[in-house]
Amino acid sequence: MGLLDGRVAVVTGAGRGIGREFARCLAAEGASVVVNDVGAALDGAGADETPARQTCDEITAAGGRAVPSHESVTDYEAAGRIVQAALDSFGRIDILVNNAGIVRDRTLLKMTEDDFDAVMAVHVKGTFNCARHAAGPMREQGYGRIINVTSSAGLRGNFGQTNYGAAKAAIMGMTFIWALELGRHGITVNAVAPAGATRMTASLFERSGTPPPPEADPALNAPIVAFLASERAGHVNGQILGRTDYAFTIFQHPRQIAFMWRDGGWDPAGVAEHFDQILGQHLQPVGMTMPTGMEFRAPSTRTST
Ligand SMILES: NC(=O)c1ccc[n+]([C@@H]2O[C@H](COP(=O)([O-])OP(=O)(O)OC[C@H]3O[C@@H](n4cnc5c(N)ncnc54)[C@H](O)[C@@H]3O)[C@@H](O)[C@H]2O)c1
């Protein structure tokens, strides 16, 4: 018995890297999977049917059920065909994992309009396109699981990733909104910020001069997605989960952490006079640093709070 027996999943960008591991894990847990991947280069150029086929072959060789889809998530009509492939091949769609992604890293001063638009098109528009088409059938059956893929680059900021960070922050926003809108129809919407040695992060490991360690294995992300995709996670909605090494993590939602009040409101000079003593006491670092005091504990031994 798997966590996902009888369920039907679509995983976008599942021909390689982290998405391939999501697809293989969901299939191993019993889901039938539409393996979508346009087969693009890291910057989004080109197309190749081989990656999606390969993941399907791996799944079927392991005894699972999978069909390939080579459509691009950036195209609204094509995204409809990705969802339709699940309905045509397996009769329903229970799970959508919006994983497809590209990068075109440059600092703001060097980023072109095309760099910005291309990255937004895959991550933001692609996530919208697929969710828009999947939400209807999910609502009709009163059940669904949407898992969006975000990144610390968008949640905390990262040098050289204006386009990617903006896209991943937008995905966080859509996750919260869809959790509110779709939750009442039995559809949960969560996000994961994964990590792993894939071609997307290859240059980081090349620059460090060391091969990726075992804890950079992209397969380590998949178990939490399998859980979120299951009936067991019906109470988990609108959350952002992450992975660091052998730990799964949960992100705090952005929220106000302090306030300064003046009856009738502030004037600029008043703000300037009081800012440092009040809100200025709570300034936070930006960037992808691990928060201090983070606890890594196995739930079997202790619970972290
Ligand atoms: N690798 C990491 O450390 C890391 C960290 C945080 C977030 N992520 C996110 O995880 C996801 C997977 O990244 P990865 O590292 O496995 O990268 P990857 O390049 O190995 O895989 C991405 C896949 O998406 C496919 N794709 C690109 N454009 C597409 C489109 N328009 N339609 C359909 N498929 C398309 C590509 O062909 C590719 O196979 C991305 O959303 C990425 O932003 C990765």
Side-chain angles (χ1 to χ4, degrees):
M1 282 287 286
L3 276 179
L4 304 171
D5 284 335
R7 295 297 180 189
V8 175
V10 168
V11 183
T12 69
R16 298 187 184 86
I18 291 168
R20 168 176 169 260
E21 302 297 346
F22 289 158
R24 283 155 37 111
C25 184
L26 297 186
E29 289 298 322
S32 303
V33 183
V34 174
V35 174
N36 164 260
D37 202 303
V38 79
L42 186 56
D43 68 357
D48 179 4
E49 297 197 351
T50 318
R53 283 199 194 290
Q54 269 174 356
T55 303
C56 283
D57 289 348
E58 288 168 8
I59 289 172
T60 49
R65 302 212 305 163
V67 294
S69 149
H70 309 291
E71 307 279 0
S72 172
V73 298
T74 59
D75 182 294
Y76 185 74
E77 302 300 330
R81 292 192 289 274
I82 299 171
V83 171
Q84 193 60 43
L87 302 174
D88 291 346
S89 303
F90 305 120
R92 52 190 291 130
I93 175 166
D94 301 295
I95 300 156
L96 169 66
V97 185
N98 282 308
N99 166 81
I102 64 169
V103 286
R104 293 197 188 181
D105 293 356
R106 279 172 191 81
T107 57
L108 175 63
L109 289 169
K110 293 181 185 154
M111 187 166 287
T112 66
E113 184 184 10
D114 191 50
D115 292 333
F116 187 82
D117 289 345
V119 169
M120 296 298 275
V122 177
H123 293 272
V124 183
K125 185 87 184 300
T127 295
F128 166 79
N129 286 344
C130 294
R132 178 67 184 84
H133 286 290
M138 286 179 176
R139 185 186 56 182
E140 272 166 39
Q141 68 200 15
Y143 182 89
R145 300 281 183 263
I146 297 176
I147 296 128
N148 296 326
V149 176
T150 184
S151 166
S152 300
L155 305 172
R156 300 181 58 83
N158 197 25
F159 194 94
Q161 293 198 307
T162 291
N163 47 7
Y164 183 79
K168 291 307 198 186
I171 286 171
M172 174 183 71
M174 292 194 289
T175 300
F176 294 151
I177 290 158
W178 298 344
L180 293 169
E181 292 181 356
L182 301 178
R184 57 207 170 120
H185 301 296
I187 305 166
T188 63
V189 187
N190 294 287
V192 294
T198 68
R199 66 178 187 172
M200 200 176 269
T201 49
S203 63
L204 299 178
F205 290 107
E206 276 159 26
R207 252 179 278 153
S208 77
T210 53
E215 58 269 28
D217 183 349
L220 290 168
N221 300 292
I224 196 129
V225 167
F227 167 69
L228 292 171
S230 75
E231 282 174 61
R232 299 270 292 274
H235 58 296
V236 184
N237 192 25
Q239 305 302 306
I240 304 173
L241 290 310
R243 178 187 81 88
T244 302
D245 297 338
Y246 296 122
F248 289 121
T249 62
I250 186 160
F251 281 80
Q252 188 176 38
H253 291 183
R255 63 187 177 89
Q256 291 113 317
I257 54 173
F259 70 93
M260 59 184 221
W261 170 282
R262 178 188 266 177
D263 285 343
W266 291 89
D267 56 28
V271 175
E273 193 185 331
H274 290 94
F275 183 89
D276 283 345
Q277 297 111 44
I278 310 173
L279 299 186
Q281 300 297 310
H282 302 272
L283 301 182
Q284 298 144 88
V286 291
M288 288 169 49
T289 51
M290 183 67 71
T292 52
M294 179 125 119
E295 312 225 10
F296 290 92
R297 291 177 189 164
S300 56
T301 55
R302 269 178 292 178
T303 309
S304 67
T305 53

